[in-house]
Amino acid sequence: MTRRLELEIGPVAHGGHFVARHEGQVVFVRHALPGERVTAEVTEDDGRFLRADAVEVHLASPERVEAPCPYAGPGLCGGCDFQHVTLEEQRRLKAAVVSEQLQRLAGLERDVVVEEVPPSDGLAWRSRMQYVHLPDGGLGLRKHRSHEVVEIDHCLIAHPAAREPEDGVVVEQVETSTGTGVLEVAADGFWQPHVNAPRTLVECVLEMVDVQPGESVLDLYAGVGLFAAFLAHAVGPAGAVVAVEGDKAASRHSRANLASYPWARSVAGRVDRVLHRGVGAADVVVLDPPRVGAKGQVVRAISDLGPRAVAYVACDPAALARDIGYFAEQGYALADLRVFDLFPMTHHIECVALLVPEAR
């Protein structure tokens, strides 16, 4: 029997849901907004807390809008968390999550602004999609935290030229204010999904670290060498770039993408192990770890190199905040933080943090 609760919705929480309480128990509610009164349908009960979907709204937030996609909502496609929220409020909610994680995990009080990235309507931005191909030839997407499939005719956040994972290699062109790069990447390999993400992140990292000709740069979790290629161009023949990537296929592509820069090399191997073996000096370190973050061992190894600047690209604010705390223990302070809305209509964001040695 379906269990329904009458709830008053509290603040946003990391993960695309909002916090409410029922008889002292925490309830994480999707499809709601702070200040709303809703009827919520319980979807999970693990004993410690409940998960629920707001299925009726009795007192609506002024920031609530009708979802542009007919497949967004309770019990439907799980890809978008925030289609019922104005874009401006989506960014404010995401900023609140980043601020809360920094305070809770790194002990930092910081006002955060989430920056808009075109397209400004928050739709048609996703360059890669993974559909479920149905027996009748139709397409589907999965429900939230489920293997169940919702059949769709079109995904509104998919770019018209969005690719699906396949065998082979594709070439991505990245245009930035400092030049244009052509990168080779496996068709089913990792690539930033927002059509404007590569340009946005490369420009941000280059501006933050202000790398100079002749410097040595270490690019960790380098993927196919997106940052490494532009960093190699910036340091020039008198400099050096080492790109470290654990995925062998991505590392092979990185080697090909850096071939025109003899002063740049790609190293295949787990980042922690490569750092333990030694990679030489580093004036600047750039890292873009997976969602779990870099963790303490890697942070300590980076700090031991004594770089003048560290640019940390992160898709998970909790992992980033935890690692900023680890950097602080090693004498590195957060000097700058930019947050980009590279996943509109969802709870996801991308952060770029600049860490520098604390003044002594």
Side-chain angles (χ1 to χ4, degrees):
M1 182 177 177
T2 301
R3 183 182 178 191
R4 291 196 166 195
L5 309 174
E6 303 299 313
L7 300 172
E8 291 190 6
I9 304 300
V12 66
H14 181 35
H17 42 246
F18 300 84
V19 180
R21 290 185 180 274
H22 178 73
E23 296 180 351
Q25 188 173 31
V26 172
V27 187
F28 294 116
V29 186
R30 297 182 82 236
H31 310 293
L33 277 169
E36 291 189 330
R37 290 204 300 269
V38 306
T39 297
E41 192 171 282
V42 175
T43 57
E44 294 180 44
D45 181 353
D46 79 345
R48 298 171 299 156
F49 58 84
L50 304 175
R51 295 184 186 273
D53 288 341
V55 294
E56 296 178 25
V57 179
H58 308 295
L59 177 64
S61 164
E63 303 298 339
R64 177 177 284 274
V65 295
E66 184 175 351
C69 176
Y71 308 109
L76 299 175
C77 171
C80 292
D81 313 289
F82 288 162
Q83 287 216 11
H84 64 290
V85 189
T86 65
L87 285 165
E88 294 80 5
E89 182 65 7
Q90 289 182 35
R91 291 191 283 272
R92 285 192 289 267
L93 292 170
K94 295 176 186 186
V97 169
V98 177
S99 293
E100 193 271 337
Q101 297 299 314
L102 287 173
Q103 193 282 324
R104 185 172 65 88
L105 296 172
L108 296 176
E109 299 287 344
R110 193 177 187 96
D111 292 329
V112 174
V113 175
V114 176
E115 302 177 38
E116 176 186 333
V117 179
S120 58
D121 63 359
L123 303 175
W125 55 264
R126 192 171 180 90
S127 65
R128 295 197 174 190
M129 292 292 299
Q130 187 161 8
Y131 296 105
V132 177
H133 290 264
L134 302 174
D136 63 359
L139 297 176
L141 292 169
R142 299 193 188 278
K143 296 182 179 181
H144 180 64
R145 295 173 61 87
S146 172
H147 294 293
E148 290 187 62
V149 176
V150 176
E151 186 170 3
I152 67 166
D153 58 8
H154 177 62
C155 175
L156 287 182
I157 66 171
H159 189 270
R163 296 190 180 99
E164 286 194 78
E166 57 186 350
D167 294 332
V169 175
V170 296
V171 174
E172 303 281 357
Q173 181 167 300
V174 182
E175 297 182 0
T176 75
S177 58
T178 60
T180 299
V182 179
L183 293 159
E184 174 186 296
V185 59
D188 60 353
F190 173 77
W191 186 252
Q192 285 285 347
H194 194 293
V195 290
N196 289 316
R199 173 191 176 107
T200 300
L201 296 175
V202 166
E203 289 184 344
C204 178
V205 166
L206 291 177
E207 180 183 345
M208 275 190 176
V209 299
D210 191 25
V211 68
Q212 298 298 306
E215 287 194 309
S216 297
V217 182
L218 186 58
D219 182 11
L220 304 177
Y221 312 94
V224 300
L226 171 64
F227 295 115
F230 286 91
L231 292 164
H233 178 78
V235 301
V241 173
V242 178
V244 182
E245 170 56 43
D247 182 84
K248 292 181 180 178
S251 188
R252 286 196 300 271
H253 291 302
S254 173
R255 192 173 299 113
N257 293 329
L258 297 174
S260 58
Y261 303 102
W263 54 94
R265 63 188 177 99
S266 180
V267 176
R270 272 180 41 175
V271 167
D272 56 345
R273 293 175 181 173
V274 173
L275 289 174
H276 180 72
R277 292 198 302 266
V279 289
D283 299 299
V284 171
V285 174
V286 175
L287 67 157
D288 185 5
R291 187 167 299 278
V292 295
K295 301 184 180 179
Q297 182 180 350
V298 169
V299 168
R300 288 188 293 272
I302 292 170
S303 303
D304 287 345
L305 296 172
R308 65 166 182 80
V310 176
Y312 188 138
V313 183
C315 60
D316 186 274
L320 173 64
R322 179 204 64 208
D323 288 347
I324 287 174
Y326 290 145
F327 272 108
E329 294 172 359
Q330 303 301 313
Y332 277 78
L334 179 63
D336 196 6
L337 176 68
R338 294 183 68 183
V339 185
F340 299 101
D341 194 13
L342 291 177
F343 304 86
M345 304 297 179
T346 82
H347 73 274
H348 299 288
I349 49 174
E350 199 81 11
C351 303
V352 185
L354 175 65
L355 297 134
V356 300
E358 292 184 277
R360 299 190 183 279

